[in-house]
């Protein structure tokens, strides 16, 4: 019998059959006009709603109001979404879009979630 101790368990990884590119560009906000208008006129509300649909805390984007530039929550959501969906990209573009194209960035993330339709599955979750 081996006495090898496992220090780190393998983490679940989402494998997507979709493209490794964003399904729409950063300036394609007009593809969904109601969301575009909500993001433009009330970006904090839109960001909170998008974050909730993504499976994170509803009020998380409100922390961006205290963060300044770059907006840490917007940027971390973009990075998380790229990793979850296997989208190519880099921190430079995430930072750029999070600082100067905030409503467009949130619209792009919302469109991506609609396009991918990948549900969040909890592995080894036990009911309490």
């Amino acid at each position: 019998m081996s006495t090898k101790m496992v220090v780190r368990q393998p983490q679940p990884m989402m494998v997507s059959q979709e493209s490794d590119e964003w399904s729409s560009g950063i300036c394609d906000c007009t593809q969904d006009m109601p969301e575009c208008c909500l993001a433009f006129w009330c970006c904090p509300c839109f960001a909170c709603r998008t974050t909730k649909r993504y499976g994170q805390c509803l009020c998380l984007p409100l922390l961006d109001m205290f963060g300044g530039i770059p907006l840490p929550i917007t940027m971390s959501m973009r990075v998380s979404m790229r990793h979850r969906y296997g989208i190519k990209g880099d921190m430079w573009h995430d930072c750029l879009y999070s600082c100067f194209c905030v409503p467009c960035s949130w619209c792009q993330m919302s469109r991506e979630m609609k396009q991918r339709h990948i549900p969040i599955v909890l592995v080894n979750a036990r009911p309490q």
Side-chain angles (χ1 to χ4, degrees):
M1 179 166 200
S2 175
T3 59
K4 188 175 184 181
M5 185 164 85
V6 176
V7 177
R8 185 176 169 148
Q9 292 290 330
Q11 298 296 315
M13 190 172 109
M14 185 145 325
V15 178
S16 174
Q17 302 300 322
E18 302 285 327
S19 170
D20 60 354
E21 300 290 333
W22 290 96
S23 62
S24 60
I26 192 74
C27 294
D28 292 338
C29 294
T30 57
Q31 287 182 354
D32 191 343
M33 280 308 279
E35 287 201 348
C36 177
C37 290
L38 180 59
F40 180 76
W41 294 108
C42 190
C43 191
C45 296
F46 184 77
C48 289
R49 188 186 77 162
T50 304
T51 303
K52 178 71 174 168
R53 283 186 17 236
Y54 189 68
Q56 297 296 322
C57 176
L58 172 70
C59 298
L60 194 59
L62 297 179
L63 295 174
D64 272 348
M65 290 190 298
F66 304 110
I69 293 179
L71 302 173
I73 303 304
T74 303
M75 189 166 143
S76 62
M77 283 290 293
R78 284 188 64 83
V79 171
S80 175
M81 192 166 289
R82 279 195 307 103
H83 285 279
R84 179 181 286 184
Y85 296 145
I87 298 171
K88 285 192 262 182
D90 54 44
M91 291 293 290
W92 165 248
H93 286 98
D94 292 332
C95 185
L96 183 71
Y97 296 148
S98 297
C99 291
F100 300 109
C101 306
V102 177
C104 294
S105 183
W106 282 104
C107 281
Q108 184 184 35
M109 290 187 285
S110 178
R111 288 191 308 272
E112 196 65 34
M113 287 190 302
K114 286 181 179 179
Q115 180 70 25
R116 300 285 175 147
H117 297 277
I118 300 175
I120 297 172
V121 178
L122 299 175
V123 179
N124 294 330
R126 296 181 197 129
Q128 295 194 13

